[in-house]
């Protein structure tokens, strides 16, 4: 299993993100809205139902709510509990869009997590964690990869690539179907300034909201995928992003974001890895 983390400042509450995962092209990347892009190259089964058709609120004792017949989903946090939801389907690969609005105002101590995860003791996981902050201060976006991904973007701007480095022995998350999860919870022992700033419960309840879920994805069920590798749809306009790569402009934007907003990169943390940096760090841009 491998695990890595990077931290980046983010100012917007209305956020558009991207995960991109591909086992074929080591330099593939793409961005649009809040996307989890799991790319392999098969028929994509399109769906764009209401949130209550695609997700279940799994914990929070009523703090998670479906509004307007599933057009909007909200999670809330108070001193007693947070809340969370998960997708009904598991996805092996595909393109998934969803918009997220973070906790407004003083969000110090709170964490809004949005991630993909498989099951089992050797699970794969790719996630965004938004670490709350005092009013007027930017969020810190914490990205993680656990594996036995390709890229990430915010508001259409690439912020990170995690390249497929299986050729040098680095595990890559590509074989285990994963569900979509999100949760809003209290982590004031570490989330804001290392735990120095605590959650102000007089501001509760804290609320994050979600809408506009769309999926062009292969659903995994009973050990089989809903997609076929020989389908002509894999080369259709719906799958055009399968072969789209970061162009020169996007590569430059990626470098600019990392130079100006990245505050932690495990690939430069020699104190954490005194015996030498992980193998994939030699391939990062």
């Amino acid at each position: 299993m491998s695990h890595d983390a990077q931290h980046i400042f983010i100012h917007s509450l209305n956020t558009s993100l991207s995960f991109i995962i591909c086992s074929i092209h080591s330099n593939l990347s793409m961005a649009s809205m809040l996307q989890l892009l799991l790319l392999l190259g098969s028929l994509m089964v399109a769906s764009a139902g209401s949130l209550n058709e695609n997700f279940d609120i799994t914990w929070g004792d009523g703090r998670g709510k479906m509004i307007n017949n599933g057009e909007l989903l909200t999670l809330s946090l108070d001193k007693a509990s947070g809340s969370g939801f998960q997708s009904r389907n598991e996805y092996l690969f595909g393109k998934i869009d969803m918009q997220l609005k973070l906790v407004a105002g003083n969000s110090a101590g709170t964490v809004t997590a949005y991630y993909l995860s498989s099951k089992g003791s050797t699970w794969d996981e790719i996630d965004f964690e938004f670490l709350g902050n005092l009013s007027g201060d930017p969020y810190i976006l914490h990205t993680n990869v656990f594996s036995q991904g390709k890229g990430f973007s915010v508001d259409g701007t690439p912020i990170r690539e995690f390249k497929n480095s299986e050729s040098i022995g680095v595990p890559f998350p590509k074989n285990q179907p994963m569900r979509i999860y999100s949760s809003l919870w209290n982590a004031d022992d570490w989330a804001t300034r290392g735990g120095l700033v605590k959650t102000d419960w007089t501001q509760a309840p804290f609320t994050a909201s979600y809408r506009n879920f769309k999926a062009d994805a292969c659903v995994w069920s009973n050990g089989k995928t809903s997609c076929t590798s020989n389908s002509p749809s894999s080369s259709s306009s719906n799958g055009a992003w399968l072969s789209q790569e970061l162009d020169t402009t996007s590569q430059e934007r990626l470098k600019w974001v990392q130079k100006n907003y990245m505050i932690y990169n495990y690939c430069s943390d020699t104190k954490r890895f005194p015996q030498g940096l992980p193998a994939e760090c030699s391939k990062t841009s």
Side-chain angles (χ1 to χ4, degrees):
M1 176 184 295
S2 66
H3 167 228
D4 65 82
Q6 291 183 346
H7 307 299
I8 290 176
F9 282 125
I10 179 172
H11 292 266
S12 176
L13 295 178
N14 297 282
T15 307
S16 302
L17 312 176
S18 297
F19 294 106
I20 303 167
I21 308 166
C22 179
S23 67
I24 299 175
H25 303 292
S26 64
N27 60 347
L28 190 65
S29 191
M30 171 70 179
S32 172
M33 304 283 289
L34 174 58
Q35 302 172 343
L36 312 180
L37 308 189
L38 313 183
L39 317 182
L40 282 182
S42 296
L43 166 65
M44 299 293 113
V45 177
S47 65
S50 63
L51 295 175
N52 54 13
E53 294 174 341
N54 291 281
F55 296 92
D56 290 314
I57 295 171
T58 51
W59 64 282
D61 195 22
R63 292 173 178 81
K65 300 181 184 298
M66 297 284 186
I67 300 173
N68 295 336
N69 295 317
E71 291 183 4
L72 185 71
L73 188 159
T74 63
L75 296 180
S76 65
L77 164 69
D78 57 33
K79 198 169 186 177
S81 178
S83 50
F85 67 82
Q86 71 178 45
S87 63
R88 293 183 177 179
N89 289 325
E90 291 181 290
Y91 302 100
L92 186 60
F93 35 87
K95 173 182 177 181
I96 301 170
D97 298 346
M98 197 171 186
Q99 290 180 312
L100 163 64
K101 183 175 182 179
L102 300 172
V103 174
N106 183 356
S107 58
T110 71
V111 173
T112 305
Y114 191 95
Y115 59 102
L116 290 171
S117 183
S118 62
K119 300 176 181 178
S121 59
T122 56
W123 79 100
D124 291 338
E125 182 177 325
I126 304 165
D127 62 50
F128 287 122
E129 290 180 333
F130 296 91
L131 312 185
N133 221 328
L134 296 171
S135 298
D137 290 343
Y139 270 80
I140 292 177
L141 171 57
H142 183 173
T143 63
N144 290 301
V145 177
F146 296 82
S147 178
Q148 218 313 211
K150 186 57 184 60
F152 302 80
S153 73
V154 174
D155 295 333
T157 298
I159 62 168
R160 177 181 181 185
E161 286 184 299
F162 184 80
K163 297 180 179 180
N164 187 337
S165 301
E166 290 178 300
S167 61
I168 58 173
V170 179
F172 191 78
K174 65 182 178 65
N175 295 318
Q176 301 187 70
M178 294 186 279
R179 294 186 192 275
I180 304 167
Y181 296 87
S182 190
S183 58
L184 175 58
W185 48 289
N186 179 50
D188 66 3
D189 57 331
W190 64 271
T192 306
R193 300 182 186 176
L196 294 178
V197 181
K198 302 299 183 181
T199 303
D200 181 0
W201 294 111
T202 66
Q203 303 295 316
F206 304 97
T207 302
S209 58
Y210 307 76
R211 65 178 184 176
N212 292 340
F213 173 76
K214 298 178 182 178
D216 289 322
C218 292
V219 175
W220 186 264
S221 180
N222 297 320
K224 297 181 180 180
T225 175
S226 62
C227 303
T228 57
S229 59
N230 60 355
S231 168
S233 295
S234 62
S235 60
S236 68
S237 59
N238 287 339
W241 44 269
L242 284 169
S243 59
Q244 185 165 349
E245 301 177 12
L246 280 179
D247 57 20
T248 301
T249 300
S250 295
Q251 290 283 359
E252 291 302 316
R253 292 177 72 188
L254 172 61
K255 293 178 182 177
W256 179 84
V257 168
Q258 293 181 340
K259 177 181 177 181
N260 291 280
Y261 292 97
M262 182 176 289
I263 58 174
Y264 175 77
N265 182 357
Y266 78 108
C267 277
S268 60
D269 191 347
T270 55
K271 291 184 179 180
R272 179 181 175 187
F273 302 103
Q275 303 304 316
L277 296 172
E280 69 268 20
C281 292
S282 63
K283 301 188 69 173
T284 58
S285 57

